[in-house]
Amino acid sequence: MQKVLFLTTAHHPKDDRIYYHQAKSLAENGFEVKITSLCENLIEVSDNLQIESYSILNQSFQEKVEVFLKVCKCFQPDMIICSEPLAVSAAKKFQKTKKTSVIYDVTEWYPAMSMLSPIPYPAKIFQALKFFMINLYAGFLSSDFIFGEDTKKFPLAYFFPFKRYIILPYYPDPKFIFSNINSLNSNEITVCYTGQISQDKGIGNFFKAIDLVRKKDNDVKIKILIIGSARNEEDKIYFEKILSEYQFENIEIKKPTTFEKFTESFAEADLCFDLRELNFENNHSLPIKLFYYIGAGKPVIYSDLKGIRKHIDVSEFGFLVKPDNAEKIADIILNYVKNSKIYHDHAQKASEVFREKYNWNVIRDSFIQFIKTDR
């Protein structure tokens, strides 16, 4: 039985992509699978998946590598799938004792903007270059690549064109999707925002558009559903400020729920939003939540991101917009309210295209084959 080990520093051991999709699929196809993360203490065996994780994110680079090496030496994997450069570095060290494949699963920008934001200029420029070179080195050390989206191929696929890779989007397994296609009541709509509550992720753009809807037509009853939390104190202060500014009457704020219950948590929503800012990192991303929204049968209004445009035709079930164009967003919402047939057609189409094109069952076999044929 071939052994596969997942190594990640920052992802939860039961991360939806790693645990619920990749690891489970490999275990179901006869692989022995283990997951090690460095962001939470967890030792268990669940669904034939071994988890050995430690909460040591604040420890030194060398200490983190040593923990990964300890797990590698004990498990003796034939293949290691890494989510970050540090994990790749540890896997390469283990490769000196046993011939094993090292696959770099690229799902995040490295460096991410969050890594650079606390650093002042001009040091930020040098740190960005340093992190960029670290990422290139991880690409050099890796045997193969998995890219979460086409736009994440840069720079590794271009610097290492002869290495094997697969594009593996963030499509959900249908068994984790609770589909609930709503019918709009006259002059009523429930709008939904989920995830990190911050200016960068678009909560301000969302509130601005909803405020304009009520100014344009105060007969429309709007319920706001927010599922998420602020990342830090700065985001919390920002959120409290705009809540006070807009004074929405019908708003419900829920804490983040478990992965298995995510789509159930917004079942009552009629329309789902993601109005994140159009910076470089966001623009070249393909947001995971998009596929959960359409699987649940929810029309969407999303920022006009290059990562989305290159991958999917949103016009079948929603709209791509400039996130700060509150006027246009408000008009789209009101058009849904006034034209229930358009809303219903988009909701039905969202569910349909998810079942046909954008679920894990469509890409599972290509992932399994990629792993099985690894040289």
Side-chain angles (χ1 to χ4, degrees), residues 81-120:
I81 302 178
C82 306
S83 299
E84 299 89 9
L86 187 148
V88 173
S89 178
K92 193 66 179 179
K93 287 181 181 292
F94 173 72
Q95 207 175 38
K96 295 177 181 178
T97 63
K98 179 181 177 179
K99 185 178 180 181
T100 183
S101 298
V102 178
I103 299 178
Y104 187 7
D105 185 10
V106 182
T107 61
E108 308 288 348
W109 287 104
Y110 195 92
M113 291 180 64
S114 59
M115 297 169 64
L116 299 173
S117 59
I119 305 171

Side-chain angles (χ1 to χ4, degrees), residues 87-297:
V88 173
S89 178
K92 193 66 179 179
K93 287 181 181 292
F94 173 72
Q95 207 175 38
K96 295 177 181 178
T97 63
K98 179 181 177 179
K99 185 178 180 181
T100 183
S101 298
V102 178
I103 299 178
Y104 187 7
D105 185 10
V106 182
T107 61
E108 308 288 348
W109 287 104
Y110 195 92
M113 291 180 64
S114 59
M115 297 169 64
L116 299 173
S117 59
I119 305 171
Y121 284 103
K124 189 189 296 281
I125 297 172
F126 294 103
Q127 285 297 319
L129 180 60
K130 172 187 171 183
F131 289 136
F132 180 81
M133 296 306 295
I134 289 173
N135 195 39
L136 282 186
Y137 186 59
F140 172 75
L141 296 178
S142 304
S143 310
D144 309 289
F145 302 120
I146 299 173
F147 296 108
E149 55 221 75
D150 190 70
T151 47
K152 294 280 173 64
K153 285 165 52 180
F154 179 82
L156 299 180
Y158 300 90
F159 276 83
F160 309 104
F162 301 110
K163 293 194 177 187
R164 202 173 61 116
Y165 73 83
I166 183 175
I167 304 294
L168 194 74
Y170 315 100
Y171 299 166
D173 191 318
K175 67 186 177 185
F176 299 122
I177 299 297
F178 178 75
S179 181
N180 187 48
I181 298 175
N182 296 335
S183 296
L184 287 186
N185 295 322
S186 177
N187 269 12
E188 293 183 11
I189 191 166
T190 299
V191 295
C192 181
Y193 173 106
T194 72
Q196 294 178 349
I197 297 176
S198 68
Q199 184 172 5
D200 171 62
K201 295 302 181 183
I203 187 66
N205 294 326
F206 175 68
F207 276 6
K208 184 179 178 181
I210 304 309
D211 180 56
L212 192 54
V213 170
R214 66 180 177 180
K215 289 177 178 176
K216 282 174 170 280
D217 190 340
N218 57 19
D219 289 330
V220 175
K221 297 178 181 178
I222 307 169
K223 179 179 179 182
I224 299 172
L225 175 62
I226 295 177
I227 304 167
S229 60
R231 296 172 294 186
N232 51 46
E233 190 63 25
E234 181 182 349
D235 290 340
K236 183 179 179 181
I237 293 171
Y238 172 76
F239 184 46
E240 290 173 349
K241 177 178 177 293
I242 60 174
L243 277 176
S244 176
E245 176 184 347
Y246 287 107
Q247 292 289 312
F248 290 114
E249 295 179 0
N250 196 354
I251 181 169
E252 181 181 4
I253 302 172
K254 298 180 182 179
K255 292 293 184 182
T257 185
T258 61
F259 168 75
E260 298 96 324
K261 299 291 184 181
F262 176 59
T263 51
E264 288 184 41
S265 70
F266 61 83
E268 66 182 286
D270 300 312
L271 189 58
C272 290
F273 290 75
D274 191 316
L275 299 175
R276 64 186 66 191
E277 299 291 340
L278 291 179
N279 55 49
F280 179 86
E281 185 174 311
N282 286 340
N283 195 38
H284 290 79
S285 296
L286 179 62
I288 299 172
K289 291 180 297 183
L290 173 62
F291 303 107
Y292 289 85
Y293 290 157
I294 65 174

